[in-house]
């Protein structure tokens, strides 16, 4: 990172940390929600941006994490046990789902994840004995000490930073470099001895684990979960969040998540027309700026 | 046993409709490398154009004719020129994302601009029931099966028997070689987009009386079209028909004998099994990778 970038990132980190002081409860809720989206988005960015695979079922993994957390915490498990359980379960499901799809590459993962999301949504809605069906699960506890909304924000924010550091480490490790090599030139990477399938599968499963963690934080944040937030539409929003911010760029999901959380609030007066504009804006963005918003500085420098 | 047959027959009729949408999807992929995630909305939009025309007092045949023309202009020509052509040079992912954006935009345009609730849609076939031994067939099932079948085989005959159709196949197989042979590649690709818009309009006419016209009706149809196309074989026109019918029949059987709650998941399971054992699809040919 250049000096300018370090300054911008540092200032943003401090500004976000100070923001709750000037915000009411709803503002703090939105800020915490942003953190949850960033966690999920970072995982998706690993799959989409770094490993170059399309995944359109990320909300299903967030859902698995959220329901796992909700069910286990209602049984009295501690948050600290629930968190790794949610992450591991998503990691395992990611491996099982990704295996057939990634064996054939192409865009099969996109279709497999798409259908997986539909199936998981049906599961959440139909298996009332486990998930409460459309009534959902209410009264989900928060970890003790972080019960108040301000404290819970700092807890989530801190965890997001830890996850971001973990992601930065993954990307810089030999593993992460192999992901990027696969995305940029799969045939050359394979001829250099990189096992395409193993690496893309791993990237996908790690991305799913990030989503599971985000789900656990989400469940504690809203304290009530039902199937709706884990629909296919949410997955599309998460994917667009990563792409609009700038896929394959470390800070892409941070910017994208801010847009996805804040725009509906600001444009509430437009109701459904907001999504019409959003959809068409995505088309326009892909035509003129396929690298996402974070590619603007580069574009300006080149022009 | 007669229940079983009944389910198979009505499943085949629904499957033939899926096959129509799947066929357009396959053709677009072959000719232009476009994975159209708005394919479901490409069926939903003609349904609402027809409703608009009916609202202005047109009789159904005229309304449908106008729908086909408008669909070919908007979902064929405009979609190709404004979205696909400028995006093709960026590769597959930006194009996929753009069609996802288009899908969200179109859905909410209809929701905000027309109605959020389901709208009744006139049935093109009469309500008669035919009895054939233990089977009872509605005119709707028979008509849908017949019309969809004629469309699919018609498109296939066009592709295999006419010069234009063969030129279109040549473009799909090897664009550069086709150009060298003097085929007007741009025009052939445009034809494919027009055929897709036409197929989507017919699908809308057949599917909407049962699904009802609703802004999100494309979600289910689009999903089935993807899966039908891949199950049958992404690079085979006939594959779309086989895939569509398989999905339609198995869905019906699952709904009746296993659990109606998971009917929507059948296509996914079938898809996962197929890509595990025969990734090129049931009728597909394995593709060599170009280095």
């Amino acid at each position: 990172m250049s000096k300018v970038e370090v300054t911008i990132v540092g200032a943003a980190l401090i500004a976000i940390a100070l923001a709750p002081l000037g915000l009411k409860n709803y503002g703090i809720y939105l800020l915490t929600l942003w953190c949850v989206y960033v966690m999920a988005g970072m995982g998706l960015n690993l799959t989409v941006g770094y490993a170059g695979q399309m995944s359109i079922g990320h909300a299903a993994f967030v859902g698995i994490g959220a329901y796992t957390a909700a069910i286990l915490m209602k049984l009295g498990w501690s948050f600290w046990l629930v968190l790794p359980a949610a992450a591991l379960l998503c990691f395992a499901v990611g491996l099982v789902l990704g295996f057939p799809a990634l064996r054939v590459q192409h865009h099969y993962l996109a279709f497999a994840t798409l259908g997986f999301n539909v199936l998981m949504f049906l599961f959440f809605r139909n298996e009332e004995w486990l998930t409460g069906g459309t009534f959902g699960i209410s009264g989900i506890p928060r970890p003790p000490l972080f019960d108040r909304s301000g404290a819970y924000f700092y807890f989530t924010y801190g965890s997001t930073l830890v996850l971001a550091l973990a992601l930065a480490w993954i990307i810089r490790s030999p593993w992460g470099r192999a992901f990027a090599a696969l995305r940029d030139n799969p045939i050359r990477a394979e001829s250099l001895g990189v096992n395409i399938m193993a690496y893309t599968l791993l990237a996908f499963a790690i991305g799913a684990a990030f989503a599971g963690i985000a789900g656990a934080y989400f469940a504690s944040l809203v304290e009530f979960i039902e199937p709706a937030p884990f629909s296919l539409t949410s997955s599309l929003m998460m994917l667009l969040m990563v792409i609009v911010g700038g896929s394959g760029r470390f800070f892409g999901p941070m910017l994208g998540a801010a847009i996805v959380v804040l725009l509906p609030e600001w444009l509430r007066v437009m109701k459904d027309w907001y999504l019409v504009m959003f959809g068409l804006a995505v088309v326009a963005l892909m035509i003129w700026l396929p690298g996402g918003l974070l590619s603007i500085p580069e574009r300006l420098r080149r022009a | 046993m007669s229940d079983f047959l009944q389910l198979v027959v009505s499943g085949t009729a629904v499957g033939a409709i899926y096959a129509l949408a799947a066929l357009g999807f396959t053709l677009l992929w072959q000719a232009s490398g476009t994975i159209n995630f708005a394919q479901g909305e490409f069926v939903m939009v003609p349904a609402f154009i027809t409703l608009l025309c009916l609202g202005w007092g047109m009789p159904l045949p005229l309304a449908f004719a106008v729908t086909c023309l408008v669909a070919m202009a908007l979902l064929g020509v405009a979609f190709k020129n404004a979205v696909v052509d400028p995006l093709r040079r960026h590769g597959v992912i930006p194009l996929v994302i753009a069609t996802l954006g288009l899908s969200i935009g179109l859905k909410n345009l209809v929701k905000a601009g027309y109605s959020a609730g389901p709208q009744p849609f006139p049935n093109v076939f009469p309500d008669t029931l035919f009895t054939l031994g233990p089977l009872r067939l509605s005119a709707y099932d028979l008509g849908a099966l017949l019309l969809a079948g004629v469309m699919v085989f018609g498109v296939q005959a066009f592709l295999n028997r006419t010069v234009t159709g063969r030129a279109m196949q040549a473009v799909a197989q090897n664009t550069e070689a086709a150009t060298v042979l003097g085929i007007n590649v741009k025009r052939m690709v445009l034809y494919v987009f027009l055929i897709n818009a036409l197929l989507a309009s017919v699908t809308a006419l057949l599917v909407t009386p049962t699904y009802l016209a609703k802004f999100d009706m494309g979600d289910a149809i689009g999903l089935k079209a993807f899966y039908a196309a891949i199950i049958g074989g992404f690079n085979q026109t006939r594959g779309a028909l086989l895939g569509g019918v398989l999905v339609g029949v198995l869905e019906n059987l699952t709904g009746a004998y296993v659990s109606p709650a998971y009917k929507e998941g059948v296509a996914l399971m079938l898809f996962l099994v197929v890509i595990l054992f025969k990734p090129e699809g049931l009728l597909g040919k394995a593709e060599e990778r170009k280095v």
Side-chain angles (χ1 to χ4, degrees):
Chain A
M1 284 201 287
S2 69
K3 251 185 190 162
V4 186
E5 282 167 332
V6 172
T7 322
I8 295 176
V9 171
L13 285 177
I14 296 169
I16 297 164
L18 294 178
L21 302 176
L23 287 170
K24 297 205 179 74
N25 266 343
Y26 187 64
I28 296 176
Y29 164 79
L30 284 182
L31 210 56
T32 319
L33 189 63
W34 173 77
C35 289
V36 170
Y37 272 118
V38 169
M39 289 185 200
M42 286 191 300
L44 190 57
N45 196 18
L46 187 65
T47 312
V48 177
Y50 290 99
Q53 294 292 327
M54 288 286 289
S55 165
I56 319 185
H58 213 57
F61 288 111
V62 178
I64 294 175
Y67 274 100
T68 310
I71 293 164
L72 292 181
M73 282 201 283
K74 292 286 270 187
L75 290 176
W77 285 43
S78 130
F79 187 82
W80 300 106
L81 280 175
V82 163
L83 204 56
L88 278 177
L89 182 61
C90 286
F91 184 81
V93 174
L95 286 182
V96 173
L97 177 70
F99 179 76
L102 287 171
R103 216 170 56 102
V104 278
Q105 295 287 315
H106 263 313
H107 313 293
Y108 286 92
L109 189 68
F111 297 112
T113 46
L114 188 82
F116 174 67
N117 206 147
V118 174
L119 206 62
M120 283 316 297
F121 184 80
L122 291 176
F123 181 83
F124 295 146
R125 205 183 57 194
N126 294 331
E127 300 304 315
E128 263 181 42
W129 58 276
L130 186 67
T131 64
T134 43
F135 302 109
I137 299 175
S138 55
I140 302 162
R142 285 180 179 174
L145 293 181
F146 303 110
D147 205 27
R148 303 263 307 273
S149 64
Y152 191 70
F153 162 72
Y154 285 111
F155 175 58
T156 315
Y157 186 46
S159 313
T160 310
L161 294 182
V162 172
L163 270 187
L165 289 177
L167 180 70
W169 176 77
I170 292 176
I171 293 167
R172 276 160 189 272
S173 72
W175 278 5
R177 296 191 191 277
F179 294 155
L182 286 176
R183 175 197 57 194
D184 296 336
N185 191 340
I187 292 167
R188 174 161 166 75
E190 196 175 20
S191 68
L192 289 173
V194 178
N195 183 338
I196 294 192
M197 163 143 187
Y199 275 94
T200 35
L201 187 56
L202 200 63
F204 176 62
I206 296 175
F210 271 63
I213 294 173
Y217 281 90
F218 178 75
S220 268
L221 168 66
V222 293
E223 299 178 300
F224 163 73
I225 54 168
E226 41 123 11
F230 314 118
S231 67
L232 188 57
T233 317
S234 311
S235 283
L236 293 184
M237 278 302 173
M238 286 183 198
L239 181 63
L240 292 177
M241 174 179 107
V242 171
I243 303 273
V244 167
S247 76
R249 288 163 200 276
F250 193 79
F251 295 101
M254 286 73 167
L255 181 63
I259 293 173
V260 167
V261 172
L262 288 179
L263 269 193
E265 300 297 324
W266 290 339
L267 300 178
R268 187 160 282 177
V269 278
M270 292 173 66
K271 290 190 184 140
D272 294 333
W273 290 104
Y274 147 70
L275 280 172
V276 180
M277 307 295 286
F278 181 76
L280 299 180
V282 168
V283 178
L285 188 77
M286 284 301 104
I287 293 174
W288 286 298
L289 207 63
L293 292 175
L294 282 183
S295 68
I296 291 177
E298 265 170 43
R299 186 65 80 82
L300 291 178
R301 227 172 291 151
R302 242 185 304 150
Chain B
M1 191 60 198
S2 69
D3 279 354
F4 179 80
L5 277 179
Q6 187 81 46
L7 288 167
V8 170
V9 171
S10 61
T12 311
V14 178
I17 302 176
Y18 293 159
L20 276 184
L23 181 58
F25 185 74
T26 315
L27 288 175
L28 274 198
W29 163 252
Q30 287 179 2
S32 68
T34 312
I35 299 186
N36 183 16
F37 275 93
Q39 187 75 3
E41 280 63 45
F42 275 36
V43 174
M44 180 272 292
V45 168
F48 277 90
I49 301 175
T50 310
L51 278 182
L52 271 182
C53 292
L54 290 172
W56 290 328
M58 289 183 207
L60 185 58
L62 179 64
F64 181 67
V66 173
T67 303
C68 287
L69 289 177
V70 177
M72 287 204 300
L74 283 181
L75 308 177
V77 181
F79 173 59
K80 177 180 176 290
N81 289 341
V83 179
V84 177
D85 283 348
L87 270 167
R88 277 173 74 182
R89 62 197 160 92
H90 297 318
V92 179
I93 289 191
L95 188 51
V96 166
I97 302 290
T99 57
L100 284 175
L102 193 64
S103 150
I104 294 178
L106 287 175
K107 243 187 297 202
N108 287 285
L109 181 69
V110 170
K111 188 182 177 193
Y114 195 96
S115 162
Q119 306 289 321
F121 193 89
N123 195 341
V124 271
F125 303 108
D127 291 332
T128 13
L129 273 178
F130 302 100
T131 325
L132 192 86
L135 290 181
R136 275 187 313 169
L137 302 173
S138 68
Y140 173 77
D141 281 349
L142 282 178
L145 190 59
L146 217 68
L147 189 53
V150 167
M151 289 293 292
V152 172
F153 285 109
V155 168
Q156 222 198 336
F158 171 72
L159 287 177
N160 289 333
R161 301 280 159 90
T162 64
V163 178
T164 316
R166 283 170 167 265
M168 285 164 69
Q169 288 197 26
V171 171
Q173 276 165 16
N174 189 335
T175 315
E176 278 150 32
T179 317
V180 173
L181 288 172
I183 294 171
N184 187 341
V185 172
K186 281 188 182 158
R187 173 166 301 172
M188 296 305 142
V189 174
L190 177 65
Y191 287 162
V192 172
F193 278 80
L194 292 178
I195 292 179
N196 181 45
L198 201 62
L199 287 171
S201 304
V202 178
T203 313
L205 185 72
L206 292 178
V207 85
T208 323
T210 41
Y211 272 66
L212 298 179
K214 199 175 168 209
F215 69 95
D216 61 357
M217 65 185 267
D219 292 353
I221 301 165
L223 210 61
K224 267 64 169 278
F226 301 149
Y227 288 132
I230 297 172
I231 290 166
F234 217 11
N235 47 20
Q236 281 292 322
T237 330
R238 265 174 311 154
L241 186 62
L242 178 70
V245 170
L246 265 182
V247 170
V249 170
L250 282 179
E251 263 184 355
N252 242 5
L253 294 178
T254 311
Y257 295 119
V258 186
S259 152
Y262 286 102
K263 208 177 150 186
E264 299 292 310
V266 172
L268 170 76
M269 296 315 291
L270 197 58
F271 160 80
L272 284 179
V273 172
V274 167
I275 61 169
L276 209 48
F277 295 105
K278 200 165 183 303
E280 64 275 17
L282 296 176
L283 296 181
K285 295 191 192 88
E287 274 175 58
E288 296 290 319
R289 192 169 60 170
K290 279 183 228 163
V291 177

